[in-house]
Amino acid sequence: MAIVYEFVWQVLHVLLHIHRTLITWFRIRLRNWNGRLWSRALTALIVPMALSFPNPKKIVPAPGKRVGRRYRWGADGKSLEKLPDHIGLLIAEEEPRYTDIANLVVWCMAVGISYVSVYDNYGVFRRNNSRLMDEILKQQQELLDLEGSKQLCVEFLNNGTDKQDQQVLSCQSVLKVLSPDDGKLRIVQAAQQLCRAVEQREKTSEDINVTVLDSLLRGEEAPRSAGESKSTPDPDLVLKFGPVESTLGFLPWHIRLTEFISLPSHVGVSYEDLFSALQRYASCEQRLGK
């Protein structure tokens, strides 16, 4: 009897395994069949919808965007109570970025500043002024949609004599690229020039005074041709970029009435940073030595 029970138990165990195997096989088949069914259903629905849409068009910026930005910047300049006629950009950092400097120059010109001076203590921009010029013209086109010869012109000037490196007629703005040679060294050269004039009896010691030295430093005594620029005014505002708390020899003869505003860095500087500095300048009270 025990043998019969054991045989029946083994048969039931085998039938249970067969039952589980069949259920697993049916589930797999059903899943695959459902997957193919859903795939075909989705294809039947999505393909006609995709074909019904028109071809996507390439999105291009509105042609008037840069023009509107140019007029907005011009309006910003007119909204200020006072705008510097001459602004200096003093870079007190070891690695100047040409694109960021070019942006600053173009923004200054766009708001209506007539003279922009760029200065670094290592003379990098003076030695590479053609590279800076190319970057300014590139950013002028990119930011304002203007060709290099239209409205916002750039004029590079040499130190002291204001002799032009590049002749540009009817310029709205003038760019001066300065180096330490335009500071204390220029004063020394002017003093040597006056000493030679006295030695050669072209002048007497009584002829030498502050006015004569000032005219010599500004290049006002040198004769000018019809195409050369008039004397550049003293900087009204200098923006110093970098952690160094020093003017680093920036035009010591010309900055007795200049307002200085410090900014952390010129790298990644924005138009809002520049306009905020111009607002600070417009709201400050300059006593002019009184």
Side-chain angles (χ1 to χ4, degrees):
M1 202 59 188
I3 296 175
V4 174
Y5 283 143
E6 184 178 354
F7 176 75
V8 171
W9 174 256
Q10 290 178 355
V11 170
L12 290 175
H13 194 66
V14 170
L15 291 175
L16 180 61
H17 276 287
I18 294 174
H19 180 264
R20 288 178 176 175
T21 303
L22 289 173
I23 290 176
T24 303
W25 182 80
F26 275 117
R27 283 179 177 174
I28 294 174
R29 293 289 295 177
L30 182 62
R31 188 181 305 162
N32 292 338
W33 183 79
N34 286 338
R36 288 196 297 269
L37 179 64
W38 278 107
S39 177
R40 291 171 183 174
L42 289 174
T43 302
L45 289 173
I46 293 175
V47 171
M49 292 175 63
L51 294 176
S52 65
F53 284 107
N55 292 330
K57 295 182 179 179
K58 184 179 179 181
I59 299 176
V60 297
K65 183 177 180 181
R66 286 178 288 185
V67 176
R69 186 165 49 187
R70 186 205 326 163
Y71 284 111
R72 179 175 68 83
W73 290 339
D76 286 344
K78 294 178 181 178
S79 69
L80 297 174
E81 185 176 345
K82 61 180 177 180
L83 188 68
D85 189 34
H86 182 183
I87 188 171
L89 306 176
L90 195 166
I91 312 303
E93 297 175 274
E94 293 185 358
E95 297 183 2
R97 302 288 183 88
Y98 286 85
T99 300
D100 292 312
I101 296 300
N103 286 339
L104 285 166
V105 171
V106 173
W107 290 331
C108 288
M109 294 175 173
V111 298
I113 298 175
S114 300
Y115 297 88
V116 182
S117 292
V118 176
Y119 176 91
D120 72 284
N121 192 40
Y122 302 100
V124 174
F125 293 124
R126 169 60 64 80
R127 292 192 300 272
N128 302 281
N129 58 7
S130 59
R131 178 181 173 184
L132 179 61
M133 176 72 167
D134 292 340
E135 191 65 35
I136 289 173
L137 295 178
K138 175 184 173 183
Q139 294 304 313
Q140 182 174 302
Q141 172 66 27
E142 183 175 328
L143 295 174
L144 304 176
D145 197 23
L146 292 176
E147 297 295 339
S149 60
K150 295 180 181 179
Q151 295 192 24
L152 299 179
C153 300
V154 178
E155 178 182 349
F156 281 91
L157 306 176
N158 287 324
N159 59 323
T161 61
D162 284 359
K163 183 181 178 181
Q164 299 174 11
D165 284 337
Q166 178 167 344
Q167 185 74 29
V168 182
L169 300 178
S170 303
C171 281
Q172 177 178 326
S173 298
V174 174
L175 174 66
K176 295 195 72 171
V177 182
L178 305 175
S179 72
D181 292 346
D182 301 290
K184 295 179 181 179
L185 179 60
R186 177 57 188 157
I187 296 176
V188 172
Q189 292 172 344
Q192 292 174 341
Q193 185 176 345
L194 290 175
C195 290
R196 284 194 297 269
V198 172
E199 184 181 11
Q200 296 172 3
R201 297 185 179 182
E202 297 174 358
K203 292 181 182 292
T204 64
S205 57
E206 289 78 12
D207 295 331
I208 300 175
N209 52 41
V210 174
T211 304
V212 173
L213 179 60
D214 183 72
S215 299
L216 190 60
L217 288 171
R218 299 176 191 281
E220 293 175 356
E221 290 192 352
R224 299 181 180 276
S225 64
E228 291 188 350
S229 301
K230 62 181 181 180
S231 178
T232 305
D234 291 344
D236 303 296
L237 170 65
V238 170
L239 301 182
K240 183 188 70 65
F241 298 91
V244 180
E245 295 299 330
S246 170
T247 61
L248 298 176
F250 178 87
L251 298 181
W253 186 265
H254 305 76
I255 58 174
R256 63 187 183 90
L257 300 177
T258 301
E259 190 74 20
F260 278 79
I261 295 178
S262 296
L263 295 174
S265 174
H266 74 289
V267 179
V269 68
S270 66
Y271 170 76
E272 286 69 25
D273 296 328
L274 172 65
F275 188 64
S276 176
L278 293 177
Q279 287 177 315
R280 287 175 57 187
Y281 168 77
S283 61
C284 74
E285 182 182 357
Q286 292 177 292
R287 297 184 180 275
L288 303 179
K290 297 180 181 179

